[in-house]
Amino acid sequence: MTFLKQNRLLFLLAILCNPQIISAQNTYFQQQVNYKIDAQLDDSLHVLVGTIEMEYINNSPDELNEIYMHLWPNAYANKETAFAQQKLRTGSTKFYFAKKKELGALSDLNFQVNGETVDWNTWNNQPDIAKLELKSPLSSGSSLIIRTPFTLKIPASFSRLGHVEDSYQMTQWYPKPAVYDRAGWHPMPYLDQGEFYSEFGDFDVSITLPDNYVVGATGTLQTKSEKAFLEERIAATEAYFNNYENKFLADNAFPPSSKKRKTLRYTAENVHDFAWFADKRFRVVKSNVLLPSGKKVDTWIMFTEEEEELWEDAIEYVNRSVKFYSDKVGEYPYPQATAVQSALSAGGGMEYPMITVIGLSGTRKALDEVITHEVGHNWFYGILASDERVYPWMDEGMNSYYEYRYMKENYSTSSLGDVIPKFFLGSSEMDVSELAYLVQARRNLDQAPNNTSNDFTSINYGISAYLKPALAMEHLANYLGLEAFDDAMRSYYKQWKFKHPYPADFRTILEASTGKDLSWFFDGYLYSNQKVDYALTEVRKAGDQLQVSIKNKAEIAAPFPIAAIKDGEVIASKWYEGIEKNGTVNFPAMDYDDLVLDVERVTLDVDRTDNRKKAITPKINLLVQIEDDQKRSISLFPALSWNQYDQFMLGIGVHNKSIPFRNFEFIATPMYGFSSQRLTGVGSLRYNIYPANDAIERISLQLNGRTFSYSYNETFDFHNYFTKFAPQIEVKLGKKTPTSAWQQGISYRYINIERDFGRVHIDTDAITRNQQSYAVNELNYRLEKEDALSPILLSATLEQAASFTKIFGTYTQRFPYQEREKSMRVRLFGGYFFDFDGIAAAEAGVRPSFLLTGNTTSTFQQDYLHDQVLFARSATEGLLRHQIFSKDAGFKTLTSVGASNNWMLSAGLRSTLPGALPVDVFGDVAYAAPESGSGDFYYSAGFVLPVVKNIFEIYVPVLESSAINDNHNANGREGLLERITFRLDLLKLNPFDLIDNFSF
């Protein structure tokens, strides 16, 4: 499958299936299952009714008392299956909110063994796995016949099996035995992220359906009348493409189904799965490939009007990929190869023996790439057929290596390189694959490829199962030389085709074929997330040799190349064996401009800035760009801002941020305020540490500052301004498991605020400048559940200053009620002052009261930590006084009542409305206790206009408590328009914060 999250049993199997244990102690054997299936499609009900007969041959040395059976269509039976839970974990709620009629399952099962009904039950509370209890043991070398009727309600398209109206994707659609091999039984639930492991055998499949459907399937079509029907379709397709007047003008509507029905028979030998795709709209093109041995392979493409302009020449992509893999890996053993364009909700393409289904591609180059990748799976998924659920890299990673190699031969680059604009890449030599790997590896968020499919995070499934193994194989191929590498891979294919190899089997072949210890490749790249990071530290001339000092700054002692560069060209290159810590290698002395370690970028070096003799040069960029490891980059950007007091501000921003992430980063945006005539702006220094352990994900040491005006005296023409200085340390704790939804973080910051303000002496009108300052210690704890269905955020904060100590916390959770976008959000707040010295607070100029809301109507000191971006911090009139920010009780009103220096409790509810109304409703209630006397309840409710949800929103209160209403009336806010507020949270649009918090 192309890339776009198992249970405890699989974890146990991963341990039991330690490759060294398997190879050393268990003797190879392989079961065989032969199938005869008869199925009839009712496309008016989207139901398939049939019977299946399986001949199970026990080639193991063991006596079997039970047989585990996969009933994978039952993954779509309800919202509790492993598939359903994984979809939520990976961020998709589509299946969770599916209608009952869109679900699917097998029914009417009645398993008989050798003609006798047997007891069976679903296994381990998983409806898509059954355990058949045999009445008598199946001895070694014996066989039995399993037979059952079945009815399949075909689900809507949520993953692989499904239908979109009358387009059918019939994959994982029938009962089939789990694999029993040298590691034991492998029962596994169906998963979207994570593929399959099945027994080889022969198939004889008959499919009955309306006779105007076009079908593409595993195996060889045996029905003469259908062959003639396909020839007609081929001719019609050719005529259509030759008719330029009507070319690409057909619609994509489904024609009515014929009342006449037909039965198609397919046979296939030595395959482990059978898939078929049916659509009445398919156009058909046929060709063939002649392999060097003289074997002829028929090739087919079937596609609809959707993206048909891309498919016009797609048969050549199939032909070219069959030739490519046959040459590089081994001859294609099957009689045909088919690519079908159809609906798919699990990546960009999906492979089955002899046939692949392709989703929408966008460009011809991307279509070629995905067809090649999926056709290539015939070799690794189809013929070698490793346990891809436990060892996904043995299929996806190996196949991706050959896909990348194919694209380089035919296009120079992968189509992935087309997704990043050239101006963003700048002069960087990094491609998308290296970039994706480094984004995770630099932060130690990558996972070892040898994890099971379900143990990967979504992004790491693509990086560690696909990309990293492919890049590792490219490193290996360059080190060994293509001829030696190809010979080793051909030996692996020849020895293990149709045999289910394990990682140890692959390693044995490679090391035997090459005569090398490949621990760096297997134990380093594949079995761990250790890194490669070499530095070229010194070059000394010694006779006719250059002595080049190399430092290994990471864990993997991988082989590496050094090249001499002259006039921008490589004039000499030499490979060296890996170095553990520090070492010196000899390179021939010659006239050169630079010596570069891994100039071709074939290793997975995580930091190339120290890979050359010549010092890297400075470079000026605009905005944020991809890292250029040959130049030390500084980026500039225009800095524009405005507030009511500084008015228009203009300056220049400077930063060193790049992708992938650096440890040390800074950003500064000095600006000139044209009204205040002073320097304004923000700045930040940050040093990130990414410990290589599970307890801590990141430690961030920061120094943040900002300065702006907060008011203006128009009568006497002077500005008041603040300066904030805040060192900070953040610790993001590691997750219990990489796929866990829970994340914790602790931060401490010291906030120092200095205010410079003018004071008018009434008797003389003289103006003196005065200063106030205060400091606040803040300790914060965050617990967050990154859940697609019902995310949770808990935040607890302790603040301490000379005049107060307080603790407060918020709890926020979203509850969906119809679909992901239709939800209610509950927010709870509680806060308590341990002590409060009002006189000291007033002298320092800080008012840290708990508030119903954060706004600008009464005093700028409501944002006493100066964390918010406010356009008018001390406004008492005009539109800008309606700006609010989320604080304490979280009310959406302009009121200044309800402040408390004792304690406060509040609850808030916000909900979308059913249907398409673009309006939310809100309601807030709070109890505020003053320092003395009785407290009071407050409430407010109304509507939200989410112009840009959670960023720019307008609030219309329609029901408020009497104290709030009295406060509005006392301040001249009698009308509804005077009570409307808005929130513009520009902090959420800060691109640098978005980059810093980029996570998967």
Side-chain angles (χ1 to χ4, degrees):
M1 183 182 75
T2 53
F3 174 72
L4 279 177
K5 257 167 157 272
Q6 185 121 281
N7 55 31
R8 294 177 183 174
L9 172 67
L10 292 179
F11 178 74
L12 178 60
L13 286 176
I15 296 173
L16 293 176
C17 296
N18 181 290
Q20 281 74 23
I21 295 174
I22 291 169
S23 284
Q25 300 180 9
N26 293 6
T27 303
Y28 168 81
F29 65 84
Q30 188 164 308
Q31 310 291 67
Q32 182 170 344
V33 185
N34 300 320
Y35 298 82
K36 183 175 177 58
I37 307 175
D38 192 339
Q40 301 85 43
L41 174 66
D42 183 341
D43 66 343
S44 65
L45 300 175
H46 307 302
V47 167
L48 191 76
V49 178
T51 60
I52 181 170
E53 183 178 287
M54 294 165 272
E55 179 191 21
Y56 188 93
I57 303 172
N58 182 14
N59 293 320
S60 80
D62 307 318
E63 186 176 80
L64 302 181
N65 294 299
E66 69 277 327
I67 292 178
Y68 290 89
M69 191 72 62
H70 288 148
L71 311 177
W72 282 335
N74 288 347
Y76 307 94
N78 59 57
K79 312 298 175 62
E80 305 300 324
T81 65
F83 160 75
Q85 295 302 307
Q86 188 193 66
K87 292 297 287 183
L88 284 178
R89 195 195 84 201
T90 55
S92 172
T93 60
K94 180 181 177 183
F95 184 74
Y96 182 87
F97 288 110
K99 299 178 176 62
K100 187 175 181 179
K101 66 179 182 180
E102 295 177 314
L103 305 183
L106 287 168
S107 60
D108 301 327
L109 296 169
N110 181 22
F111 287 104
Q112 293 182 333
V113 175
N114 293 334
E116 292 186 272
T117 301
V118 296
D119 294 332
W120 67 277
N121 286 287
T122 56
W123 178 76
N124 199 27
N125 295 318
Q126 298 183 91
D128 49 352
I129 305 174
K131 183 179 180 182
L132 278 60
E133 301 287 353
L134 301 181
K135 291 189 173 182
S136 58
L138 179 63
S139 61
S140 174
S142 300
S143 65
L144 52 75
I145 301 295
I146 305 171
R147 193 178 189 279
T148 184
F150 67 91
T151 299
L152 170 60
K153 182 181 180 297
I154 304 168
S157 181
F158 298 107
S159 183
R160 298 176 180 92
L161 168 66
H163 76 94
V164 177
E165 298 184 60
D166 289 351
S167 174
Y168 292 91
Q169 301 82 45
M170 303 305 296
T171 64
Q172 290 86 38
W173 56 281
Y174 56 90
K176 63 191 306 186
V179 170
Y180 183 75
D181 68 7
R182 44 192 160 151
W185 282 105
H186 295 261
M188 59 183 69
Y190 175 87
L191 294 177
D192 188 71
Q193 178 181 294
E195 295 177 16
F196 313 111
Y197 191 37
S198 301
E199 301 285 17
F200 282 100
D202 299 338
F203 284 77
D204 188 335
V205 180
S206 295
I207 303 164
T208 302
L209 73 174
D211 79 346
N212 58 338
Y213 274 92
V214 181
V215 176
T218 296
T220 302
L221 176 64
Q222 303 295 333
T223 309
K224 291 183 179 180
S225 58
E226 185 67 9
K227 292 179 181 180
F229 173 75
L230 291 177
E231 290 296 334
E232 293 174 2
R233 284 290 179 133
I234 292 169
T237 301
E238 184 178 2
Y240 174 77
F241 280 122
N242 288 334
N243 185 348
Y244 282 90
E245 183 177 347
N246 297 318
K247 195 174 183 181
F248 308 142
L249 296 179
D251 62 42
N252 209 31
F254 289 93
S257 294
S258 172
K259 294 182 179 180
K260 184 180 178 182
R261 296 173 69 78
K262 63 185 177 183
T263 298
L264 315 179
R265 179 169 174 255
Y266 297 87
T267 60
E269 297 178 355
N270 218 7
V271 296
H272 56 72
D273 204 354
F274 187 99
W276 57 282
F277 304 87
D279 197 311
K280 291 169 285 191
R281 305 166 300 168
F282 277 153
R283 305 196 190 282
V284 182
V285 177
K286 182 183 180 184
S287 182
N288 63 74
V289 173
L290 187 64
L291 300 179
S293 68
K295 176 183 175 64
K296 188 177 80 169
V297 178
D298 290 332
T299 53
W300 301 77
I301 58 171
M302 299 178 179
F303 53 95
T304 68
E305 288 87 348
E306 199 166 16
E307 289 199 336
E308 63 181 6
E309 70 279 6
L310 307 183
W311 282 78
E312 185 175 11
D313 299 319
I315 193 68
E316 295 304 319
Y317 308 153
V318 179
N319 292 344
R320 189 160 61 183
S321 58
V322 170
K323 291 177 182 176
F324 175 84
Y325 279 87
S326 292
D327 176 55
K328 301 297 187 292
V329 184
E331 184 171 273
Y332 186 69
Y334 298 127
Q336 64 96 357
T338 302
V340 173
Q341 180 262 311
S342 190
L344 180 65
S345 300
M350 187 64 212
E351 70 281 357
Y352 299 93
M354 300 186 226
I355 191 165
T356 177
V357 58
I358 310 295
L360 300 181
S361 301
T363 67
R364 290 175 182 258
K365 181 179 177 182
L367 177 60
D368 189 0
E369 184 164 24
V370 71
I371 284 178
T372 297
H373 182 93
E374 304 308 334
V375 169
H377 272 302
N378 278 283
W379 278 259
F380 299 100
Y381 151 84
I383 299 166
L384 289 163
S386 299
D387 183 349
E388 192 176 348
R389 185 67 62 86
V390 178
Y391 306 109
W393 66 268
M394 294 190 73
D395 173 32
E396 301 295 356
M398 290 186 188
N399 186 44
S400 294
Y401 163 75
Y402 285 100
E403 169 211 327
Y404 299 162
R405 190 166 159 183
Y406 170 95
M407 293 302 290
K408 285 182 180 179
E409 284 190 12
N410 292 284
Y411 296 94
S412 298
T413 62
S414 164
S415 66
L416 288 175
D418 300 334
V419 303
I420 297 182
K422 297 299 182 185
F423 78 87
F424 192 63
L425 285 170
S427 61
S428 176
E429 295 182 2
M430 198 178 299
D431 64 15
V432 176
S433 298
E434 183 180 2
L435 173 63
Y437 169 68
L438 290 181
V439 163
Q440 291 293 87
R442 290 261 183 98
R443 301 181 292 170
N444 284 321
L445 294 180
D446 57 321
Q447 294 173 260
N450 213 44
N451 277 281
T452 71
S453 298
N454 199 40
D455 288 332
F456 286 119
T457 64
S458 292
I459 188 65
N460 280 338
Y461 182 58
I463 290 175
S464 296
Y466 291 69
L467 189 151
K468 183 181 177 183
L471 296 179
M473 289 182 70
E474 183 177 21
H475 183 169
L476 178 63
N478 278 271
Y479 162 61
L480 297 175
L482 273 183
E483 184 176 352
F485 175 82
D486 286 344
D487 285 345
M489 291 302 294
R490 292 188 193 104
S491 296
Y492 170 59
Y493 175 78
K494 182 178 180 180
Q495 182 166 332
W496 283 101
K497 60 183 178 180
F498 309 120
K499 289 183 181 179
H500 296 320
Y502 274 81
D505 304 315
F506 178 55
R507 181 172 187 166
T508 298
I509 291 289
L510 256 64
E511 291 190 332
S513 177
T514 62
K516 292 183 178 293
D517 178 358
L518 300 179
S519 297
W520 62 272
F521 176 76
F522 288 97
D523 300 332
Y525 276 155
L526 299 179
Y527 301 161
S528 78
N529 69 337
Q530 294 177 344
K531 310 298 188 294
V532 169
D533 186 9
Y534 283 117
L536 193 157
T537 58
E538 187 179 4
V539 178
R540 300 181 304 276
K541 185 115 183 304
D544 61 350
Q545 295 291 313
L546 299 175
Q547 293 182 342
V548 185
S549 296
I550 304 295
K551 181 178 181 179
N552 188 344
K553 298 160 57 181
E555 306 88 1
I556 302 177
F560 58 90
I562 293 178
I565 309 298
K566 180 71 175 178
D567 299 328
E569 300 291 331
V570 175
I571 58 173
S573 181
K574 185 177 179 181
W575 276 88
Y576 300 90
E577 297 298 331
I579 292 174
E580 291 288 347
K581 295 294 182 182
N582 298 289
T584 300
V585 297
N586 290 327
F587 190 88
M590 60 186 68
D591 180 23
Y592 66 90
D593 297 328
D594 198 8
L595 279 184
V596 183
L597 195 156
D598 190 22
V599 69
E600 300 293 338
R601 310 179 80 93
V602 297
T603 74
L604 274 70
D605 198 312
V606 294
D607 181 10
R608 300 180 184 276
T609 59
D610 51 15
N611 283 20
R612 57 181 61 237
K613 178 187 176 184
K614 185 183 292 185
I616 57 178
T617 56
K619 174 191 173 188
I620 302 292
N621 293 324
L622 293 177
L623 303 177
V624 178
Q625 292 190 329
I626 303 299
E627 176 182 279
D628 183 348
D629 45 66
Q630 297 187 54
K631 295 180 173 63
R632 197 172 302 280
S633 299
I634 299 294
S635 296
L636 305 177
F637 60 95
L640 305 173
S641 190
W642 184 92
N643 66 42
Q644 185 166 292
Y645 315 115
D646 294 301
Q647 299 283 303
F648 179 65
M649 289 172 277
L650 177 64
I652 187 166
V654 56
H655 70 87
N656 74 333
K657 287 181 178 285
S658 64
I659 302 175
F661 310 98
R662 296 176 177 175
N663 291 76
F664 174 70
E665 299 174 326
F666 69 85
I667 177 173
T669 59
M671 295 178 289
Y672 179 77
F674 284 87
S675 175
S676 60
Q677 298 183 1
R678 62 179 299 272
L679 189 67
T680 65
V682 299
S684 176
L685 301 175
R686 178 175 302 190
Y687 188 81
N688 296 315
I689 303 169
Y690 302 100
N693 61 61
D694 296 332
I696 298 175
E697 180 180 307
R698 180 180 70 184
I699 300 172
S700 181
L701 308 176
Q702 302 178 32
L703 181 59
N704 301 302
R706 61 172 53 188
T707 181
F708 292 100
S709 297
Y710 63 80
S711 68
Y712 170 60
N713 188 311
E714 188 172 352
T715 303
F716 291 93
D717 188 27
F718 65 81
H719 291 77
N720 301 322
Y721 58 89
F722 73 89
T723 301
K724 174 181 177 179
F725 174 81
Q728 178 176 349
I729 179 172
E730 286 184 350
V731 179
K732 192 173 185 180
L733 301 179
K735 295 182 177 181
K736 187 175 182 180
T737 65
T739 58
S740 171
W742 293 97
Q743 179 80 62
Q744 300 179 80
I746 301 173
S747 68
Y748 166 76
R749 62 175 178 162
Y750 172 83
I751 306 107
N752 183 272
I753 304 294
E754 294 187 0
R755 295 198 182 103
D756 189 296
F757 57 93
R759 180 174 292 167
V760 180
H761 297 270
I762 298 176
D763 53 344
T764 63
D765 286 346
I767 302 170
T768 58
R769 301 300 298 182
N770 299 267
Q771 289 76 38
Q772 281 182 319
S773 67
Y774 56 87
V776 180
N777 295 288
E778 179 193 77
L779 182 65
N780 176 261
Y781 170 77
R782 286 171 63 92
L783 176 64
E784 187 170 4
K785 184 183 181 185
E786 300 168 335
D787 185 85
L789 194 62
S790 187
I792 295 172
L793 175 61
L794 171 66
S795 175
T797 304
L798 173 68
E799 287 183 4
Q800 183 275 329
S803 58
F804 69 90
T805 301
K806 68 177 183 178
I807 187 170
F808 56 93
T810 59
Y811 178 89
T812 305
Q813 186 169 5
R814 190 181 70 205
F815 300 93
Y817 64 84
Q818 181 177 336
E819 55 193 50
R820 187 173 185 176
E821 290 74 23
K822 299 296 181 181
S823 62
M824 295 183 296
R825 186 177 67 191
V826 174
R827 182 181 185 273
L828 305 177
F829 170 81
Y832 177 76
F833 274 86
F834 290 98
D835 63 75
F836 177 72
D837 185 337
I839 296 175
E843 289 176 351
V846 58
R847 296 184 182 179
S849 306
F850 294 128
L851 304 171
L852 295 184
T853 188
N855 63 69
T856 60
T857 53
S858 59
T859 169
F860 62 85
Q861 295 167 7
Q862 291 192 11
D863 178 30
Y864 60 90
L865 297 183
H866 292 270
D867 287 336
Q868 304 297 321
V869 177
L870 301 176
F871 296 113
R873 283 185 172 269
S874 52
T876 57
E877 59 183 20
L879 175 64
L880 295 181
R881 72 169 179 164
H882 292 258
Q883 182 183 6
I884 65 171
F885 55 93
S886 181
K887 181 176 174 63
D888 299 340
F891 278 45
K892 288 84 179 169
T893 181
L894 289 176
T895 188
S896 57
V897 301
S900 171
N901 295 321
N902 190 2
W903 59 272
M904 176 182 284
L905 294 174
S906 75
L909 176 68
R910 172 172 171 171
S911 179
T912 57
L913 294 175
L917 286 174
V919 177
D920 294 355
V921 294
F922 73 86
D924 298 301
V925 61
Y927 181 84
E931 291 180 90
S932 61
S934 61
D936 202 355
F937 281 98
Y938 303 88
Y939 61 82
S940 177
F943 297 96
V944 183
L945 302 176
V947 180
V948 180
K949 197 162 188 172
N950 297 323
I951 295 175
F952 179 38
E953 299 184 326
I954 299 171
Y955 306 102
V956 184
V958 295
L959 180 65
E960 298 190 304
S961 56
S962 58
I964 296 177
N965 272 311
D966 292 345
N967 182 257
H968 285 320
N969 294 333
N971 287 278
R973 298 191 294 268
E974 293 87 353
L976 178 63
L977 289 177
E978 288 296 315
R979 302 185 182 195
I980 293 175
T981 60
F982 73 91
R983 180 165 67 96
L984 181 57
D985 195 345
L986 294 177
L987 294 175
K988 290 184 178 178
L989 295 177
N990 185 329
F992 304 108
D993 285 342
L994 292 174
I995 293 171
D996 289 338
N997 296 318
F998 186 60
S999 184
F1000 304 100

